[in-house]
């Protein structure tokens, strides 16, 4: 089983690269952000609960995303593997993921960390905002997403580094080249 976390700051290209990775390795894709946006679009109870936080670029609670992850894992126990995009985003989420993987007899293959300088990220996200229709691709929300990332998400790297699971990948360049960088790490783990 190949269980991969695609890690990186907002705008690093996780969503784009995930589309290629899930196809090549036949992985069950779990993007907590995408699932939450679907809930908002469906105006579900959960969607209404998280809409404002997401619009402002904040993080939703660890409990909410844990429920999403467990549901996906339990529904896909026979999958060849999972690709986590945008999860875990806090150290408590990383702890919860460890417990959940253990519960379902799965192990983490590796954490691929896409590295892109911050100035480039903001530029990319503002460009994306012109077409994405995402409520959080505006300058105020983007700034807040970086504050959240630096404060709460970056420490997750240390968590996985300590376990020997973290692999840095150059996230600057053409999309196919970055995909090749990711694949070569996957082939080596
Ligand atoms: P993303 O599509 O991964 O950029 O996520 C969009 C937004 O959804 C984030 O800015 C958060 O508000 C929320 N979100 C997604 N994943 C998580 C998570 N693992 N923990 C908390 N909030 C999340």
């Amino acid at each position: 089983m190949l269980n991969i976390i695609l890690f990186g700051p907002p705008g690093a290209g996780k969503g784009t690269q995930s589309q290629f990775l899930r196809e090549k390795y036949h992985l069950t894709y779990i993007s907590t952000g995408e699932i939450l946006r679907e809930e908002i679009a469906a105006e579900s109870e959960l969607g209404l609960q998280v809409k404002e936080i997401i619009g402002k670029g904040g993080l939703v609670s660890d409990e909410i995303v844990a429920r999403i992850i467990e549901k996906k894992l339990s529904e896909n126990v026979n999958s060849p593997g999972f690709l986590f995009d945008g999860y875990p985003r806090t150290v408590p989420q990383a702890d919860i993921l460890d417990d959940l993987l253990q519960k379902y007899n799965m192990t983490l293959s590796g954490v691929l960390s896409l590295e892109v300088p911050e100035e480039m990220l903001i530029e990319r996200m503002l460009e994306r905002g012109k077409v994405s229709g995402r409520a959080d691709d505006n300058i105020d929300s983007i700034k807040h997403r970086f504050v959240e990332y630096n404060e709460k998400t970056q420490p997750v790297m240390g968590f996985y580094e300590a376990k020997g699971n973290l692999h840095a990948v150059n996230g600057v360049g053409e999309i196919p080249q970055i995909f090749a960088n990711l694949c070569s790490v996957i082939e080596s783990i």
Side-chain angles (χ1 to χ4, degrees), residues 1 4 15-16 35 45 72 78 103 105 108 128 132-134 136-139 154 168 178:
M1 216 182 169
I4 298 284
T16 302
I35 293 167
E45 198 179 318
K72 277 279 191 180
N78 295 320
K103 179 172 171 184
N105 281 320
L108 188 63
R128 181 174 78 182
S132 71
R134 274 180 60 157
D136 56 353
D137 278 345
N138 61 77
I139 191 67
Q154 206 154 17
I178 298 167

Side-chain angles (χ1 to χ4, degrees), residues 39-164:
E39 295 288 337
I40 293 171
E43 298 183 338
S44 69
E45 198 179 318
L46 172 60
L48 295 173
Q49 208 180 329
V50 299
K51 184 175 178 174
E52 197 178 322
I53 300 172
I54 293 184
K56 286 185 181 158
L59 292 183
V60 310
S61 76
D62 295 336
E63 291 72 27
I64 286 178
V65 285
R67 280 202 294 274
I68 291 175
I69 297 290
E70 174 144 30
K71 183 164 183 283
K72 277 279 191 180
L73 291 180
S74 64
E75 286 170 354
N76 295 280
V77 284
N78 295 320
S79 171
F82 290 87
L83 175 61
F84 300 93
D85 166 3
Y87 186 90
R89 255 181 162 96
T90 65
V91 172
Q93 288 181 20
D95 268 323
I96 292 169
L97 181 61
D98 264 2
D99 292 345
L100 285 175
L101 290 173
Q102 207 174 356
K103 179 172 171 184
Y104 290 93
N105 281 320
M106 299 170 187
T107 51
L108 188 63
S109 311
V111 179
L112 275 53
S113 173
L114 275 176
E115 312 222 310
V116 182
E118 190 164 318
E119 351 31 290
M120 214 178 262
L121 294 169
I122 295 179
E123 219 171 280
R124 275 191 195 177
M125 288 164 86
L126 288 173
E127 274 305 305
R128 181 174 78 182
K130 292 179 188 164
V131 290
S132 71
R134 274 180 60 157
D136 56 353
D137 278 345
N138 61 77
I139 191 67
D140 289 338
S141 302
I142 289 171
K143 280 187 182 157
H144 191 50
R145 284 155 75 188
F146 278 105
V147 170
E148 294 281 61
Y149 176 80
N150 289 326
E151 239 174 63
K152 298 175 186 165
T153 307
Q154 206 154 17
V156 174
M157 284 169 82
F159 177 95
Y160 288 117
E161 195 160 29
K163 290 173 180 280

